[in-house]
Amino acid sequence: MEYQKIFFEHDNAIEGGIGIESAWALPVGDNYQLDNILFYALGYSWKDIVATETIDSEKYVKNIVQKSGHSTIRIIFEDEDDVESTRDYLQSLGCDSEISDVYILIAVDIPPDVDIEKVLAFLEEGKSIGKWGYEEADVNWQH
């Protein structure tokens, strides 16, 4: 299968207006399965299947066809020295993550078989001592 770059429109909280985020996806019939963890577009997670429409020869996501059961959390760190150790700990819980072009921002994939309550307790603990802030970008409470 050949990867396709697809695009998501999202609210650009920093600059205002609409932002565009791209991600890699694999074709599934007429739709696409996400193969990235998103940083900015809310409501999507790794392996979700989405429908697209072509605008100016680019594929833009218009809706979700099937949820994967994965969840997405985003963390923004106060100190970049905490990034790698946090990613390592999340990996030990079974969560993959990606670092954005802004090194203190990571996107975390929580697979359906990972205890989401344990992940959220860890995130709350770090938040309470000022290590980071986090956002539930797309949480599947059925874990």
Side-chain angles (χ1 to χ4, degrees), residues 115-140:
D115 182 352
I116 195 167
E117 296 298 336
K118 188 172 184 176
V119 174
L120 292 175
F122 169 71
L123 293 174
E124 275 299 313
E125 180 181 331
K127 179 181 173 184
S128 73
I129 60 174
K131 288 180 109 173
W132 56 64
Y134 74 93
E135 175 182 45
E136 297 173 5
D138 183 43
V139 174
N140 170 23

PDB file of all heavy atoms in Angstrom, residues 115-140:
ATOM      1  N   ASP A 115      -4.401   1.014  29.992  1.00  0.00           N
ATOM      2  CA  ASP A 115      -5.229   1.563  31.071  1.00  0.00           C
ATOM      3  C   ASP A 115      -5.176   3.093  31.018  1.00  0.00           C
ATOM      4  O   ASP A 115      -4.227   3.710  31.506  1.00  0.00           O
ATOM      5  CB  ASP A 115      -4.721   1.038  32.411  1.00  0.00           C
ATOM      6  CG  ASP A 115      -5.550   1.521  33.595  1.00  0.00           C
ATOM      7  OD1 ASP A 115      -6.445   2.382  33.417  1.00  0.00           O
ATOM      8  OD2 ASP A 115      -5.296   1.030  34.717  1.00  0.00           O
ATOM      9  N   ILE A 116      -6.205   3.684  30.432  1.00  0.00           N
ATOM     10  CA  ILE A 116      -6.225   5.140  30.243  1.00  0.00           C
ATOM     11  C   ILE A 116      -6.246   5.876  31.577  1.00  0.00           C
ATOM     12  O   ILE A 116      -5.681   6.956  31.707  1.00  0.00           O
ATOM     13  CB  ILE A 116      -7.391   5.568  29.328  1.00  0.00           C
ATOM     14  CG1 ILE A 116      -7.187   7.012  28.847  1.00  0.00           C
ATOM     15  CG2 ILE A 116      -8.730   5.386  30.010  1.00  0.00           C
ATOM     16  CD1 ILE A 116      -8.093   7.427  27.726  1.00  0.00           C
ATOM     17  N   GLU A 117      -6.872   5.291  32.586  1.00  0.00           N
ATOM     18  CA  GLU A 117      -6.914   5.939  33.903  1.00  0.00           C
ATOM     19  C   GLU A 117      -5.508   6.079  34.487  1.00  0.00           C
ATOM     20  O   GLU A 117      -5.200   7.087  35.126  1.00  0.00           O
ATOM     21  CB  GLU A 117      -7.822   5.155  34.852  1.00  0.00           C
ATOM     22  CG  GLU A 117      -9.283   5.126  34.419  1.00  0.00           C
ATOM     23  CD  GLU A 117      -9.947   6.497  34.364  1.00  0.00           C
ATOM     24  OE1 GLU A 117      -9.489   7.437  35.058  1.00  0.00           O
ATOM     25  OE2 GLU A 117     -10.938   6.628  33.623  1.00  0.00           O
ATOM     26  N   LYS A 118      -4.656   5.099  34.266  1.00  0.00           N
ATOM     27  CA  LYS A 118      -3.267   5.166  34.751  1.00  0.00           C
ATOM     28  C   LYS A 118      -2.508   6.280  34.026  1.00  0.00           C
ATOM     29  O   LYS A 118      -1.760   7.040  34.645  1.00  0.00           O
ATOM     30  CB  LYS A 118      -2.582   3.820  34.545  1.00  0.00           C
ATOM     31  CG  LYS A 118      -1.229   3.726  35.183  1.00  0.00           C
ATOM     32  CD  LYS A 118      -0.693   2.305  35.117  1.00  0.00           C
ATOM     33  CE  LYS A 118       0.623   2.199  35.857  1.00  0.00           C
ATOM     34  NZ  LYS A 118       1.130   0.840  35.912  1.00  0.00           N
ATOM     35  N   VAL A 119      -2.726   6.393  32.726  1.00  0.00           N
ATOM     36  CA  VAL A 119      -2.080   7.447  31.944  1.00  0.00           C
ATOM     37  C   VAL A 119      -2.558   8.817  32.425  1.00  0.00           C
ATOM     38  O   VAL A 119      -1.744   9.726  32.669  1.00  0.00           O
ATOM     39  CB  VAL A 119      -2.355   7.275  30.437  1.00  0.00           C
ATOM     40  CG1 VAL A 119      -1.802   8.454  29.644  1.00  0.00           C
ATOM     41  CG2 VAL A 119      -1.773   5.963  29.926  1.00  0.00           C
ATOM     42  N   LEU A 120      -3.859   8.978  32.591  1.00  0.00           N
ATOM     43  CA  LEU A 120      -4.401  10.273  33.014  1.00  0.00           C
ATOM     44  C   LEU A 120      -3.967  10.630  34.442  1.00  0.00           C
ATOM     45  O   LEU A 120      -3.714  11.803  34.732  1.00  0.00           O
ATOM     46  CB  LEU A 120      -5.917  10.286  32.879  1.00  0.00           C
ATOM     47  CG  LEU A 120      -6.427  10.244  31.431  1.00  0.00           C
ATOM     48  CD1 LEU A 120      -7.944  10.125  31.391  1.00  0.00           C
ATOM     49  CD2 LEU A 120      -5.963  11.456  30.638  1.00  0.00           C
ATOM     50  N   ALA A 121      -3.847   9.641  35.333  1.00  0.00           N
ATOM     51  CA  ALA A 121      -3.368   9.904  36.692  1.00  0.00           C
ATOM     52  C   ALA A 121      -1.931  10.433  36.640  1.00  0.00           C
ATOM     53  O   ALA A 121      -1.578  11.386  37.347  1.00  0.00           O
ATOM     54  CB  ALA A 121      -3.459   8.643  37.536  1.00  0.00           C
ATOM     55  N   PHE A 122      -1.094   9.827  35.792  1.00  0.00           N
ATOM     56  CA  PHE A 122       0.283  10.289  35.612  1.00  0.00           C
ATOM     57  C   PHE A 122       0.302  11.727  35.082  1.00  0.00           C
ATOM     58  O   PHE A 122       1.054  12.579  35.572  1.00  0.00           O
ATOM     59  CB  PHE A 122       1.024   9.349  34.652  1.00  0.00           C
ATOM     60  CG  PHE A 122       2.353   9.864  34.196  1.00  0.00           C
ATOM     61  CD1 PHE A 122       3.437   9.923  35.059  1.00  0.00           C
ATOM     62  CD2 PHE A 122       2.527  10.299  32.890  1.00  0.00           C
ATOM     63  CE1 PHE A 122       4.666  10.410  34.642  1.00  0.00           C
ATOM     64  CE2 PHE A 122       3.753  10.780  32.462  1.00  0.00           C
ATOM     65  CZ  PHE A 122       4.831  10.839  33.339  1.00  0.00           C
ATOM     66  N   LEU A 123      -0.540  12.021  34.097  1.00  0.00           N
ATOM     67  CA  LEU A 123      -0.584  13.366  33.525  1.00  0.00           C
ATOM     68  C   LEU A 123      -1.074  14.389  34.547  1.00  0.00           C
ATOM     69  O   LEU A 123      -0.550  15.503  34.625  1.00  0.00           O
ATOM     70  CB  LEU A 123      -1.463  13.379  32.279  1.00  0.00           C
ATOM     71  CG  LEU A 123      -0.916  12.577  31.099  1.00  0.00           C
ATOM     72  CD1 LEU A 123      -1.934  12.525  29.973  1.00  0.00           C
ATOM     73  CD2 LEU A 123       0.409  13.142  30.615  1.00  0.00           C
ATOM     74  N   GLU A 124      -2.066  14.022  35.340  1.00  0.00           N
ATOM     75  CA  GLU A 124      -2.574  14.924  36.378  1.00  0.00           C
ATOM     76  C   GLU A 124      -1.499  15.224  37.422  1.00  0.00           C
ATOM     77  O   GLU A 124      -1.370  16.351  37.882  1.00  0.00           O
ATOM     78  CB  GLU A 124      -3.815  14.334  37.056  1.00  0.00           C
ATOM     79  CG  GLU A 124      -5.099  14.619  36.322  1.00  0.00           C
ATOM     80  CD  GLU A 124      -5.397  16.111  36.208  1.00  0.00           C
ATOM     81  OE1 GLU A 124      -5.294  16.864  37.204  1.00  0.00           O
ATOM     82  OE2 GLU A 124      -5.737  16.531  35.082  1.00  0.00           O
ATOM     83  N   GLU A 125      -0.727  14.196  37.772  1.00  0.00           N
ATOM     84  CA  GLU A 125       0.344  14.384  38.751  1.00  0.00           C
ATOM     85  C   GLU A 125       1.364  15.392  38.223  1.00  0.00           C
ATOM     86  O   GLU A 125       1.761  16.326  38.935  1.00  0.00           O
ATOM     87  CB  GLU A 125       1.026  13.042  39.038  1.00  0.00           C
ATOM     88  CG  GLU A 125       2.152  13.144  40.045  1.00  0.00           C
ATOM     89  CD  GLU A 125       2.831  11.799  40.278  1.00  0.00           C
ATOM     90  OE1 GLU A 125       2.184  10.745  40.131  1.00  0.00           O
ATOM     91  OE2 GLU A 125       4.032  11.824  40.594  1.00  0.00           O
ATOM     92  N   GLY A 126       1.803  15.237  36.972  1.00  0.00           N
ATOM     93  CA  GLY A 126       2.753  16.179  36.380  1.00  0.00           C
ATOM     94  C   GLY A 126       2.189  17.582  36.261  1.00  0.00           C
ATOM     95  O   GLY A 126       2.891  18.574  36.491  1.00  0.00           O
ATOM     96  N   LYS A 127       0.916  17.662  35.920  1.00  0.00           N
ATOM     97  CA  LYS A 127       0.261  18.969  35.802  1.00  0.00           C
ATOM     98  C   LYS A 127       0.197  19.659  37.168  1.00  0.00           C
ATOM     99  O   LYS A 127       0.447  20.862  37.274  1.00  0.00           O
ATOM    100  CB  LYS A 127      -1.150  18.781  35.225  1.00  0.00           C
ATOM    101  CG  LYS A 127      -1.933  20.049  35.085  1.00  0.00           C
ATOM    102  CD  LYS A 127      -3.316  19.769  34.529  1.00  0.00           C
ATOM    103  CE  LYS A 127      -4.174  21.009  34.553  1.00  0.00           C
ATOM    104  NZ  LYS A 127      -5.550  20.720  34.111  1.00  0.00           N
ATOM    105  N   SER A 128      -0.115  18.892  38.212  1.00  0.00           N
ATOM    106  CA  SER A 128      -0.282  19.470  39.551  1.00  0.00           C
ATOM    107  C   SER A 128       1.013  20.046  40.111  1.00  0.00           C
ATOM    108  O   SER A 128       0.972  20.937  40.956  1.00  0.00           O
ATOM    109  CB  SER A 128      -0.862  18.431  40.516  1.00  0.00           C
ATOM    110  OG  SER A 128       0.117  17.461  40.846  1.00  0.00           O
ATOM    111  N   ILE A 129       2.166  19.544  39.643  1.00  0.00           N
ATOM    112  CA  ILE A 129       3.440  20.090  40.124  1.00  0.00           C
ATOM    113  C   ILE A 129       4.087  21.033  39.102  1.00  0.00           C
ATOM    114  O   ILE A 129       5.243  21.416  39.233  1.00  0.00           O
ATOM    115  CB  ILE A 129       4.417  18.969  40.545  1.00  0.00           C
ATOM    116  CG1 ILE A 129       4.733  18.022  39.387  1.00  0.00           C
ATOM    117  CG2 ILE A 129       3.880  18.214  41.748  1.00  0.00           C
ATOM    118  CD1 ILE A 129       5.808  16.983  39.695  1.00  0.00           C
ATOM    119  N   GLY A 130       3.328  21.398  38.062  1.00  0.00           N
ATOM    120  CA  GLY A 130       3.780  22.412  37.115  1.00  0.00           C
ATOM    121  C   GLY A 130       4.749  21.943  36.048  1.00  0.00           C
ATOM    122  O   GLY A 130       5.417  22.765  35.431  1.00  0.00           O
ATOM    123  N   LYS A 131       4.829  20.615  35.806  1.00  0.00           N
ATOM    124  CA  LYS A 131       5.739  20.120  34.773  1.00  0.00           C
ATOM    125  C   LYS A 131       5.184  20.314  33.374  1.00  0.00           C
ATOM    126  O   LYS A 131       5.944  20.471  32.425  1.00  0.00           O
ATOM    127  CB  LYS A 131       6.028  18.628  34.991  1.00  0.00           C
ATOM    128  CG  LYS A 131       6.922  18.345  36.171  1.00  0.00           C
ATOM    129  CD  LYS A 131       7.148  16.863  36.319  1.00  0.00           C
ATOM    130  CE  LYS A 131       8.559  16.574  35.935  1.00  0.00           C
ATOM    131  NZ  LYS A 131       8.956  15.188  36.180  1.00  0.00           N
ATOM    132  N   TRP A 132       3.867  20.273  33.233  1.00  0.00           N
ATOM    133  CA  TRP A 132       3.238  20.369  31.920  1.00  0.00           C
ATOM    134  C   TRP A 132       1.760  20.692  32.039  1.00  0.00           C
ATOM    135  O   TRP A 132       1.161  20.619  33.099  1.00  0.00           O
ATOM    136  CB  TRP A 132       3.402  19.077  31.128  1.00  0.00           C
ATOM    137  CG  TRP A 132       2.889  17.833  31.835  1.00  0.00           C
ATOM    138  CD1 TRP A 132       1.598  17.552  32.202  1.00  0.00           C
ATOM    139  CD2 TRP A 132       3.671  16.739  32.282  1.00  0.00           C
ATOM    140  NE1 TRP A 132       1.534  16.341  32.835  1.00  0.00           N
ATOM    141  CE2 TRP A 132       2.796  15.811  32.893  1.00  0.00           C
ATOM    142  CE3 TRP A 132       5.016  16.423  32.207  1.00  0.00           C
ATOM    143  CZ2 TRP A 132       3.234  14.600  33.443  1.00  0.00           C
ATOM    144  CZ3 TRP A 132       5.447  15.225  32.756  1.00  0.00           C
ATOM    145  CH2 TRP A 132       4.560  14.337  33.357  1.00  0.00           C
ATOM    146  N   GLY A 133       1.204  21.035  30.900  1.00  0.00           N
ATOM    147  CA  GLY A 133      -0.236  21.076  30.720  1.00  0.00           C
ATOM    148  C   GLY A 133      -0.559  20.016  29.694  1.00  0.00           C
ATOM    149  O   GLY A 133       0.300  19.625  28.896  1.00  0.00           O
ATOM    150  N   TYR A 134      -1.791  19.518  29.707  1.00  0.00           N
ATOM    151  CA  TYR A 134      -2.163  18.528  28.698  1.00  0.00           C
ATOM    152  C   TYR A 134      -3.602  18.739  28.263  1.00  0.00           C
ATOM    153  O   TYR A 134      -4.381  19.399  28.948  1.00  0.00           O
ATOM    154  CB  TYR A 134      -1.923  17.093  29.188  1.00  0.00           C
ATOM    155  CG  TYR A 134      -2.921  16.593  30.203  1.00  0.00           C
ATOM    156  CD1 TYR A 134      -4.051  15.875  29.795  1.00  0.00           C
ATOM    157  CD2 TYR A 134      -2.742  16.817  31.551  1.00  0.00           C
ATOM    158  CE1 TYR A 134      -4.962  15.420  30.719  1.00  0.00           C
ATOM    159  CE2 TYR A 134      -3.643  16.354  32.480  1.00  0.00           C
ATOM    160  CZ  TYR A 134      -4.760  15.653  32.062  1.00  0.00           C
ATOM    161  OH  TYR A 134      -5.681  15.193  32.984  1.00  0.00           O
ATOM    162  N   GLU A 135      -3.906  18.180  27.103  1.00  0.00           N
ATOM    163  CA  GLU A 135      -5.235  18.321  26.507  1.00  0.00           C
ATOM    164  C   GLU A 135      -5.694  16.952  26.014  1.00  0.00           C
ATOM    165  O   GLU A 135      -4.921  16.216  25.396  1.00  0.00           O
ATOM    166  CB  GLU A 135      -5.147  19.288  25.326  1.00  0.00           C
ATOM    167  CG  GLU A 135      -6.426  19.421  24.545  1.00  0.00           C
ATOM    168  CD  GLU A 135      -6.270  20.363  23.363  1.00  0.00           C
ATOM    169  OE1 GLU A 135      -5.274  20.270  22.630  1.00  0.00           O
ATOM    170  OE2 GLU A 135      -7.187  21.188  23.182  1.00  0.00           O
ATOM    171  N   GLU A 136      -6.935  16.639  26.302  1.00  0.00           N
ATOM    172  CA  GLU A 136      -7.552  15.420  25.786  1.00  0.00           C
ATOM    173  C   GLU A 136      -8.084  15.746  24.392  1.00  0.00           C
ATOM    174  O   GLU A 136      -9.168  16.273  24.237  1.00  0.00           O
ATOM    175  CB  GLU A 136      -8.670  14.960  26.708  1.00  0.00           C
ATOM    176  CG  GLU A 136      -8.179  14.597  28.098  1.00  0.00           C
ATOM    177  CD  GLU A 136      -9.296  14.297  29.077  1.00  0.00           C
ATOM    178  OE1 GLU A 136     -10.488  14.280  28.674  1.00  0.00           O
ATOM    179  OE2 GLU A 136      -8.986  14.080  30.262  1.00  0.00           O
ATOM    180  N   ALA A 137      -7.287  15.458  23.381  1.00  0.00           N
ATOM    181  CA  ALA A 137      -7.647  15.809  22.009  1.00  0.00           C
ATOM    182  C   ALA A 137      -8.717  14.883  21.420  1.00  0.00           C
ATOM    183  O   ALA A 137      -9.541  15.298  20.623  1.00  0.00           O
ATOM    184  CB  ALA A 137      -6.400  15.787  21.123  1.00  0.00           C
ATOM    185  N   ASP A 138      -8.693  13.613  21.840  1.00  0.00           N
ATOM    186  CA  ASP A 138      -9.668  12.633  21.364  1.00  0.00           C
ATOM    187  C   ASP A 138      -9.580  11.418  22.281  1.00  0.00           C
ATOM    188  O   ASP A 138      -8.686  10.598  22.118  1.00  0.00           O
ATOM    189  CB  ASP A 138      -9.383  12.213  19.910  1.00  0.00           C
ATOM    190  CG  ASP A 138     -10.432  11.245  19.370  1.00  0.00           C
ATOM    191  OD1 ASP A 138     -11.636  11.466  19.602  1.00  0.00           O
ATOM    192  OD2 ASP A 138     -10.034  10.260  18.720  1.00  0.00           O
ATOM    193  N   VAL A 139     -10.470  11.352  23.269  1.00  0.00           N
ATOM    194  CA  VAL A 139     -10.368  10.296  24.271  1.00  0.00           C
ATOM    195  C   VAL A 139     -11.512   9.297  24.116  1.00  0.00           C
ATOM    196  O   VAL A 139     -12.679   9.659  24.047  1.00  0.00           O
ATOM    197  CB  VAL A 139     -10.348  10.889  25.697  1.00  0.00           C
ATOM    198  CG1 VAL A 139     -10.392   9.783  26.738  1.00  0.00           C
ATOM    199  CG2 VAL A 139      -9.096  11.736  25.875  1.00  0.00           C
ATOM    200  N   ASN A 140     -11.124   8.031  24.059  1.00  0.00           N
ATOM    201  CA  ASN A 140     -12.060   6.919  24.016  1.00  0.00           C
ATOM    202  C   ASN A 140     -12.220   6.401  25.432  1.00  0.00           C
ATOM    203  O   ASN A 140     -11.354   5.714  25.941  1.00  0.00           O
ATOM    204  CB  ASN A 140     -11.510   5.816  23.083  1.00  0.00           C
ATOM    205  CG  ASN A 140     -12.305   4.547  23.181  1.00  0.00           C
ATOM    206  OD1 ASN A 140     -13.460   4.540  23.565  1.00  0.00           O
ATOM    207  ND2 ASN A 140     -11.678   3.438  22.797  1.00  0.00           N
TER     208      ASN A 140
END
